[in-house]
């Protein structure tokens, strides 16, 4: 049973695109982001994304909303907090008589867990009274496992080997369980699910298929087919990255060069079509989800989609057999040539770095000599200043002594004057009596 939503009613509605990784989510986000004006002409809107300051690849999605719960990015790099982003979204949704779309590949991480229904309930309550509709693609788990693991390798995000990953796949791989958590809160009528399968896409692209699922039809603007999707590493590169003996080095610069610049180069492009996951591993994956996928097909997919989802595993497809030689003699020679070239380049870079280091040491020594010279000059100047101060103090003492001598002489002169005056006065009186 395939559900479809529509924006024709022109009432406040939030569409939550739970973009499962490797189901065209990046292409959908970029198309909606770059064609916002055309989207509004259809009665829909791509919600504000609140640009991150450190990583503009997130400008086209709504990861900030997912950070209401613990996430993998640093919320401090966004201009607002996750709580404020939800406040902003609620106002944005309810002030627009149409459909507002949000999209994040990290919503399935939440919905796939046992408490996923609590997150759905929060979203429903947070944007009330607007109605809420969930939409997304699911993908055959055998194909998804291969693409998802390759994506982790490309992002230097490996935590174990392929075998360890397959033993504990992400919780959202159980699509029906995830969808039933969502439906338990909003109802199945508020869920639109499509199978990610290029053979079933409208116009051969995931973007028109997504727009059609929303009832938006065709939207003019940037060509959906020209919106570049994420490109994975080839199977050979990923196998080397994830080898148990090498996985500890997958972030090492030299190892990254070997894998990304050599093994994933055009000379080994034939490994792009060689599968990483073996037929036996694929069969085990699909068998483990058989019952869940059958319920998923009954509840949410068209007959054609159900048939593709439940189809037998293709055992004849070429895969990277670890027991068979992957490299020819010519491959090995080219690999060695590339490594030798990298070595020569590294040696030249090391020599250049050593020369720069020696130059820096010489400059530091010169600066130290100048500093010592400046200190000596400062000390000499300080000594001269102290000498000048001592001379000034001596001159001041001599001045004070001269002043004291002058005052003493002045006092003696005053004394003599008084003495002379008294003598003359006595003589004058004596003469007066003699008359």
């Amino acid at each position: 049973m395939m559900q479809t939503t529509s924006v024709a009613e022109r009432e406040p509605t939030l569409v939550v695109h739970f973009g499962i990784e490797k189901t065209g989510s990046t292409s959908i986000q970029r198309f909606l982001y770059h064609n916002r004006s055309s989207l509004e002409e259809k009665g829909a809107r791509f919600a504000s994304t609140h640009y991150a300051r450190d990583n503009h690849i997130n400008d086209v999605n709504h990861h900030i909303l997912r950070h209401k719960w613990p996430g993998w990015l640093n919320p401090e790099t966004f201009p607002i907090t996750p709580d404020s982003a939800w406040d902003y979204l609620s106002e944005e949704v309810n002030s627009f008589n149409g459909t507002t779309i949000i999209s994040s590949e990290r919503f399935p991480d939440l919905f796939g867990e046992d408490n996923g229904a609590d997150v759905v309930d929060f979203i429903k309550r947070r944007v009330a009274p607007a109605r809420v509709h969930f939409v997304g693609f699911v993908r055959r788990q055998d194909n998804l496992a291969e693409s998802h693991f390759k994506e982790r390798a490309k992002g230097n995000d490996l935590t174990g080997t392929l075998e360890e990953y397959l033993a504990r796949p992400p919780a959202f791989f159980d699509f029906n369980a995830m969808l039933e958590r969502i439906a338990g809160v909003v109802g199945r009528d508020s869920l639109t699910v499509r199978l990610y399968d290029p053979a079933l896409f409208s116009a051969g692209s995931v973007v028109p298929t997504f727009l059609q699922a929303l009832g938006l039809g065709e939207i003019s603007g940037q060509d959906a087919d020209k919106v570049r999707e994420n490109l994975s590493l080839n199977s050979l590169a990923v196998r080397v990255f994830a080898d148990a003996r090498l996985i500890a080095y997958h972030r090492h610069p030299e190892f990254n060069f070997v894998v990304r610049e050599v093994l994933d180069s055009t000379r080994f492009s034939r490994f792009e079509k060689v599968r990483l996951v073996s037929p036996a591993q694929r069969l085990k994956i699909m068998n483990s989800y058989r019952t869940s996928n059958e319920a998923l097909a009954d509840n949410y997919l068209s007959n054609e989609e159900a048939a593709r989802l439940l189809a037998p595993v293709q055992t004849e497809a070429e895969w990277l057999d670890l027991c068979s030689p992957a490299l020819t003699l010519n491959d090995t020679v080219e690999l060695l040539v590339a490594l030798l070239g990298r070595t020569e380049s590294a040696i030249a870079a090391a020599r250049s770095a050593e020369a720069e280091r020696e130059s820096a040491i010489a400059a530091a020594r010169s600066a130290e000599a100048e500093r010592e010279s400046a200190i000596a000059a400062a000390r000499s100047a300080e000594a001269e200043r102290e000498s000048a101060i001592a001379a000034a103090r001596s001159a001041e003492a001599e001045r004070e002594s001269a002043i004291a001598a002058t005052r003493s002489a002045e006092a003696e002169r005053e004394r003599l004057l008084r003495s002379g005056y008294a003598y003359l006065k006595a003589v004058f009186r004596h003469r007066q009596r003699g008359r």
Side-chain angles (χ1 to χ4, degrees):
M1 180 177 62
M2 185 169 64
Q3 301 292 341
T4 303
T5 186
S6 174
V7 299
E9 297 179 5
R10 296 279 184 173
E11 62 176 307
T13 302
L14 174 67
V15 166
V16 180
H17 173 221
F18 53 93
I20 292 174
E21 289 185 79
K22 310 313 295 180
T23 60
S25 300
T26 301
S27 292
I28 291 169
Q29 291 163 356
R30 289 177 179 171
F31 181 86
L32 295 177
Y33 179 82
H34 292 295
N35 293 287
R36 285 167 289 179
S37 297
S38 298
L39 195 64
E40 292 208 24
E41 293 176 2
K42 292 282 188 174
R45 162 186 293 178
F46 195 56
S48 301
T49 56
H50 310 292
Y51 303 159
R53 290 186 289 271
D54 67 335
N55 190 351
H56 291 289
I57 195 173
N58 295 317
D59 290 353
V60 299
N61 54 47
H62 299 92
H63 291 339
I64 181 63
L65 297 174
R66 190 260 183 249
H67 283 285
K68 166 69 177 174
W69 303 267
W72 76 111
L73 293 177
N74 180 6
E76 294 181 1
T77 64
F78 290 88
I80 61 175
T81 65
D83 285 331
S84 296
W86 279 106
D87 292 340
Y88 192 96
L89 176 66
S90 179
E91 183 177 349
E92 195 172 12
V93 171
N94 286 287
S95 63
F96 180 62
N97 286 323
T99 296
T100 302
I101 304 169
I102 61 174
S103 176
S104 174
E105 292 93 325
R106 301 306 173 187
F107 283 139
D109 295 339
L110 299 173
F111 302 153
E113 298 297 331
D114 292 338
N115 61 347
D118 295 336
V119 179
V120 177
D121 184 63
F122 168 84
I123 296 174
K124 179 182 178 181
R125 288 184 291 103
R126 194 66 193 80
V127 300
R131 68 186 186 99
V132 182
H133 195 99
F134 290 77
V135 60
F137 287 87
V138 295
R139 186 175 182 179
R140 281 182 60 109
Q141 288 92 342
D142 54 349
N143 294 332
L144 179 59
E146 174 143 344
S147 293
H148 190 245
F149 188 77
K150 286 182 174 180
E151 183 70 13
R152 284 191 170 186
K154 185 181 75 170
N156 282 341
D157 194 29
L158 291 177
T159 57
T161 65
L162 174 64
E163 290 70 27
E164 291 169 335
Y165 168 84
L166 295 178
R168 297 186 62 184
F172 62 77
F173 270 43
D174 190 346
F175 303 132
N176 191 65
M178 179 181 70
L179 295 173
E180 287 298 277
R181 290 188 189 96
I182 299 173
V185 178
V186 299
R188 288 180 182 170
D189 289 343
S190 294
L191 260 171
T192 298
V193 183
R194 293 290 183 271
L195 181 68
Y196 183 86
D197 188 333
L200 302 178
F201 289 161
S202 300
S205 173
V206 66
V207 175
T209 305
F210 177 83
L211 297 176
Q212 190 178 75
L214 291 181
L216 292 171
E218 294 184 4
I219 291 182
S220 60
Q222 183 177 346
D223 188 351
D225 292 329
K226 293 181 180 179
V227 179
R228 186 175 180 272
E229 297 187 23
N230 287 332
L231 300 178
S232 299
L233 300 175
N234 67 42
S235 294
L236 176 62
V238 174
R239 235 330 164 178
V240 172
F241 248 149
D243 190 280
R245 297 161 294 182
L246 298 172
I247 195 167
Y249 301 98
H250 78 281
R251 289 189 175 91
H252 191 279
E254 294 300 316
F255 183 50
N256 259 266
F257 167 78
V258 173
V259 175
R260 297 179 187 277
E261 302 300 325
V262 180
L263 296 183
D264 195 49
S265 64
T266 55
R267 64 170 62 90
F268 297 112
S269 60
R270 67 182 183 278
F271 290 103
E272 292 175 2
K273 296 183 179 180
V274 175
R275 288 182 171 180
L276 178 68
V277 182
S278 72
Q281 290 170 325
R282 287 174 173 270
L283 186 61
K284 184 177 181 180
I285 293 169
M286 295 309 293
N287 283 341
S288 67
Y289 293 108
R290 182 74 187 184
T291 302
S292 177
N293 284 349
E294 288 174 349
L296 167 68
D298 289 340
N299 294 332
Y300 299 103
L301 301 181
S302 67
N303 292 336
E304 188 176 14
E305 288 175 322
R308 302 282 293 188
L309 175 66
L310 302 174
V313 172
Q314 296 179 357
T315 57
E316 69 280 3
E318 184 182 7
W319 69 287
L320 190 64
D321 187 350
L322 299 184
C323 298
S324 302
L327 302 182
T328 65
L329 175 60
N330 186 57
D331 291 335
T332 305
V333 171
E334 289 192 353
L335 176 59
L336 290 173
V337 168
L339 290 176
L340 288 172
R342 175 70 170 181
T343 302
E344 291 295 329
S345 176
I347 290 173
R351 287 173 177 165
S352 176
E354 180 64 16
E356 290 181 3
R357 189 181 72 86
E358 293 294 337
S359 177
I361 290 173
R365 287 173 177 165
S366 176
E368 180 64 16
E370 291 180 3
R371 190 180 72 86
E372 292 293 338
S373 177
I375 291 173
R379 286 173 178 165
S380 176
E382 180 66 14
E384 291 180 4
R385 189 179 72 85
E386 292 293 336
S387 177
I389 290 173
R393 286 174 178 166
S394 177
E396 180 66 16
E398 290 179 3
R399 189 179 72 84
E400 293 291 337
S401 177
I403 290 172
T406 300
R407 286 175 178 167
S408 177
E410 182 67 21
E412 181 63 20
R413 189 178 70 82
E414 289 290 335
R415 187 186 66 78
L416 291 174
L417 286 175
R418 289 193 185 97
S419 177
Y421 176 73
Y423 172 75
L424 291 175
K425 187 175 180 181
V427 171
F428 178 74
R429 286 177 178 170
H430 177 68
R431 287 180 178 178
Q432 287 291 335
R433 290 193 192 105
R435 291 180 182 174

